Amino acid sequence: MTAIATVASGNWDVPFGTAGTPWSAAGSGTGGIPGAGDTITNGNIAHTVTIPAGVSAVIGVAGVFGTAVTISGGNGLTVPAFIINGTLKTYGTILWGNRRIHGGAGGILEFDKGTHATAVTLAGTTNGAVNCKLMDAVANVPTPASPFIIQGATGQSNSGHCVTTGGFTNCAQCDITAIELKRLGNATTPAWLTGIVSSGDVMRVGRMITDSCYDLVACQSNIDTNCIYSFTNVTENNPQSNVTTGISLHIRSVSGASITGTRQLVHCRLRRNLKNYGIKLKLSDVVIDLGTGANNAIESSNATSSFSTIDNLVTRHGQATPMMLSPGDVMNSAYALATGINTRWWGFSSGWDATAGDITVNNCITQRVGGDSDGDPFIKSSNPTAVQRYVFRNCLSLHNALNRLQDTGKIASPLANPSNERWNIERCTWVTGGGGGETAINFGENQSVDVGTGVMESIKNNLAFSPTGAAGSEKWILRGILGAAGFFQTPILLAANCDYNGGFNLSTDGFGNPNGYRSQNNASNVGTSVGAHDVRADPQFRDPRLRDIGLWYADKTGTTITGNEQACVDGAMAEMMKANDLTGYDTYYDVANLFTYVYAGWAPTAGAYRGTASDGGTMGAVAWASLGSGTTMIRRRRR
């Protein structure tokens, strides 16, 4: 084994003793270049070693765990220590600090642990290294068609990890244009790990495709102020960690830090949990598909706003309360598919800081895929300590995707003792009844004290629809539940705040409340004067087939939805997950198109709903339309 140092910049394949060689001694490779059994140290800030395209290099001792390459020499962000345009196979760890490695277009960095039990690592040094750049924009920049690849050896699983910082302060300086990760990570160490991302740092990925990796990216330390943390065009394929425990991204902020800079996930397709703790993350055009995995699709912080905006998000999951929204969060155009029993869709977290603002949900869709009808699309997990407002506008709570005459569950469920809550639910549409569930604005479960009026600030311009008139089903606009103390002593809202709601095939409670409103054992739960301007008529939705994600796929492929409901939902999710593939993706499956398609089908066409809302508009989530108008003209309303 020869320990070789760099003496100048040059190409890897120029042997020792030849003009232009970068090496201090002859190695075991062809002609005396470094090879298997050798180690390398690049300790000069001015030295760059390039592996040219078409050149395959090997370093380290096969089957023996140790350091194969050491990069040191001071803080050199301008001159890369290595440029990999060809292939570098390493049997040992690459240990670097204070300098950067550039992965070129078509370049390959391969970890080969051989028979050794410990995986090889691309790691930051332990000397308090700062500003370790993995790669940066220099000549031969990777492109989606010719990415830089970091992989475990063929035939091996979990051969290596990409630890870009070693977990040390100020080490995250990664600027990646296009990269693929293959066969990296194991059950205890992520495929990619970064430490603290500090002020002015950059963690930016332009395109990342992973295949057969464990936890994709885990930023398990804090993100500080004024940094760039941006992931665009990320796709996760064949994840190896269990979907119930695996993490796609783990991001957190410094406690109490002022959040500035860029934090975003855009056009990403993930198959495991996203952990986001208070960094004001922007989500746009993101699909997270856990299938039936019992894990949170998104796990977020409690006390402060975790998201700056959420737009065009689709999730499929089997976990109760898969995503928690905090005060100040705004969610637009999110479609949540729940596959479990008594599953939640979106929850509202504890640890409140109500001064951060309202929790706002606009233009969002909830739907069950199988399971039972006892679910909670919007549920509050615990009581706020100060007045907190929940605002819903133009949302759809749809039928069960596999049983199209069954409801999905409660559209909103304030739980016990909600004296500090203020609920505003307006212009929402939900399918109710058919499954024996409690589909409605469901108020007062586990109630133990009398909270009085005012909690329900506004229940207006909504539309509850049952596709079947079968008796015995729970089909409501608002449902007050018997609590632990018996019943409410005062109405939960003022009559003027619950009005102009539409309904069809709704139930009557037998306690004197208007059709579609239910109290349990005491009429004062709801109040007999609500709904003075309500409409009870068939809305005659533009698409009577009940549009949803499954029908979206069926209409495109010519599939008959009946009998193929699960296959159509699976097919739609699979097509959306191809969005970052270079070939085979149909733009019909853009997430924005899904929302346009589904909402267009739920436009009422019956004259009874034209201009009858409190503001002269339409009751429900979608504006009234004539049967003859084109679907492309239907637009969701935003507030």
Side-chain angles (χ1 to χ4, degrees):
M1 182 179 76
T2 303
I4 303 171
T6 61
V7 296
S9 295
N11 287 349
W12 182 292
D13 57 338
V14 178
F16 171 72
T18 304
T21 183
W23 308 122
S24 65
S28 63
T30 302
I33 65 174
D38 300 329
T39 62
I40 293 173
T41 298
N42 183 339
N44 191 311
I45 194 171
H47 293 173
T48 298
V49 177
T50 300
I51 302 173
V55 171
S56 294
V58 180
I59 197 68
V61 181
V64 177
F65 180 72
T67 299
V69 178
T70 301
I71 302 170
S72 57
N75 190 345
L77 293 180
T78 304
V79 180
F82 286 90
I83 298 175
I84 306 173
N85 293 329
T87 299
L88 174 60
K89 173 185 280 193
T90 177
Y91 294 114
T93 288
I94 297 176
L95 194 63
W96 99 88
N98 301 24
R99 302 179 64 189
R100 61 184 171 88
I101 297 173
H102 174 72
I108 299 173
L109 173 60
E110 180 170 292
F111 301 114
D112 190 336
K113 69 178 182 180
T115 58
H116 199 278
T118 305
V120 193
T121 305
L122 175 64
T125 64
T126 58
N127 62 356
V130 296
N131 297 325
C132 300
K133 285 205 173 186
L134 173 64
M135 59 196 69
D136 201 24
V138 297
N140 198 27
V141 175
T143 65
S146 186
F148 180 62
I149 298 172
I150 303 178
Q151 63 184 27
T154 302
Q156 295 181 11
S157 60
N158 318 321
S159 292
H161 317 295
C162 186
V163 185
T164 63
T165 73
F168 296 96
T169 304
N170 303 333
C171 290
Q173 289 285 345
C174 292
D175 207 344
I176 301 170
T177 56
I179 192 170
E180 290 188 8
L181 307 180
K182 301 178 180 180
R183 300 181 294 276
L184 298 178
N186 60 32
T188 58
T189 303
W192 191 298
L193 173 66
T194 63
I196 296 174
V197 183
S198 296
S199 182
D201 284 354
V202 175
M203 171 59 71
R204 179 166 48 208
V205 177
R207 184 176 186 271
M208 176 184 285
I209 308 296
T210 74
D211 188 5
S212 302
C213 291
Y214 277 76
D215 291 357
L216 171 60
V217 178
C219 184
Q220 294 175 325
S221 296
N222 292 327
I223 291 181
D224 209 335
T225 61
N226 192 31
C227 67
I228 295 175
Y229 197 97
S230 174
F231 286 80
T232 59
N233 304 310
V234 175
T235 294
E236 193 177 17
N237 294 322
N238 305 310
Q240 296 300 296
S241 54
N242 190 306
V243 72
T244 61
T245 58
I247 303 169
S248 291
L249 288 162
H250 185 171
I251 318 163
R252 69 198 314 174
S253 69
V254 173
S255 178
S258 174
I259 303 301
T260 57
T262 300
R263 320 270 201 295
Q264 64 179 7
L265 263 67
V266 179
H267 203 60
C268 294
R269 301 295 183 263
L270 308 177
R271 299 183 188 274
R272 288 169 294 183
N273 170 265
L274 167 65
K275 292 184 184 294
N276 169 36
Y277 289 103
I279 74 161
K280 298 289 287 184
L281 187 68
K282 170 187 174 182
L283 296 182
S284 181
D285 189 16
V286 173
V287 179
I288 304 176
D289 187 9
L290 276 62
T292 58
N295 195 2
N296 302 318
I298 300 175
E299 183 177 325
S300 55
S301 68
N302 292 329
T304 59
S305 175
S306 297
F307 303 95
S308 59
T309 57
I310 302 174
D311 291 284
N312 292 331
L313 169 69
V314 178
T315 64
R316 179 165 63 165
H317 58 276
Q319 172 76 0
T321 318
M323 176 177 177
M324 301 297 289
L325 298 175
S326 300
D329 286 344
V330 177
M331 182 166 64
N332 299 309
S333 303
Y335 196 139
L337 297 157
T339 60
I341 303 297
N342 194 22
T343 305
R344 274 67 169 161
W345 282 257
W346 296 298
F348 308 120
S349 61
S350 58
W352 300 88
D353 177 15
T355 60
D358 299 345
I359 296 176
T360 304
V361 179
N362 298 316
N363 306 306
C364 293
I365 305 172
T366 59
Q367 187 171 29
R368 181 175 296 284
V369 183
D372 63 2
S373 63
D374 184 14
D376 300 279
F378 305 104
I379 186 167
K380 182 263 300 179
S381 63
S382 61
N383 299 319
T385 57
V387 172
Q388 179 65 57
R389 183 167 284 101
Y390 314 90
V391 180
F392 300 86
R393 299 286 187 272
N394 305 108
C395 296
L396 295 173
S397 182
L398 300 182
H399 51 283
N400 192 314
L402 305 190
N403 181 349
R404 300 178 66 80
L405 296 182
Q406 186 184 83
D407 59 61
T408 277
K410 299 179 280 288
I411 184 172
S413 188
L415 292 180
N417 310 329
S419 57
N420 284 324
E421 299 175 21
R422 301 294 182 268
W423 289 73
N424 291 256
I425 303 173
E426 296 186 354
R427 282 209 158 86
C428 295
T429 296
W430 56 90
V431 176
T432 182
E438 305 161 350
T439 304
I441 300 168
N442 195 57
F443 186 86
E445 191 170 350
N446 304 320
Q447 186 71 27
S448 61
V449 297
D450 178 27
V451 298
T453 59
V455 173
M456 290 297 193
E457 282 190 335
S458 180
I459 310 296
K460 285 186 175 181
N461 302 320
N462 300 291
L463 176 54
F465 164 81
S466 174
T468 173
S473 296
E474 296 272 5
K475 299 179 292 186
W476 310 102
I477 294 170
L478 180 66
R479 183 181 190 270
I481 299 180
L482 176 68
F487 50 79
F488 303 133
Q489 300 302 311
T490 57
I492 60 175
L493 48 71
L494 301 174
N497 296 339
C498 184
D499 202 357
Y500 294 93
N501 295 304
F504 183 62
N505 279 339
L506 302 184
S507 303
T508 301
D509 71 351
F511 297 111
N513 288 294
N515 172 262
Y517 297 95
R518 173 180 175 175
S519 64
Q520 190 152 334
N521 298 343
N522 190 290
S524 66
N525 281 15
V526 175
T528 58
S529 60
V530 298
H533 301 90
D534 279 14
V535 171
R536 296 294 179 268
D538 184 349
Q540 300 174 19
F541 293 116
R542 168 174 289 167
D543 193 338
R545 301 173 301 165
L546 310 181
R547 280 199 184 179
D548 63 357
I549 189 172
L551 200 58
W552 182 52
Y553 178 84
D555 280 355
K556 174 64 175 177
T557 59
T559 305
T560 300
I561 189 69
T562 303
N564 297 296
E565 293 88 353
Q566 183 70 66
C568 288
V569 173
D570 292 344
M573 295 299 296
E575 292 297 331
M576 284 191 290
M577 295 298 285
K578 296 178 182 179
N580 293 313
D581 293 356
L582 296 181
T583 60
Y585 177 61
D586 188 334
T587 55
Y588 172 85
Y589 295 103
D590 286 353
V591 173
N593 289 345
L594 169 63
F595 286 94
T596 298
Y597 170 90
V598 172
Y599 268 83
W602 291 92
T605 65
Y609 289 94
R610 186 177 188 181
T612 51
S614 63
D615 59 359
T618 308
M619 298 172 183
V622 188
W624 181 91
S626 65
L627 276 173
S629 58
T631 59
T632 57
M633 297 304 294
I634 296 297
R635 302 187 188 279
R636 288 167 285 144
R637 291 165 300 198
R638 292 186 181 270
R639 284 237 178 147

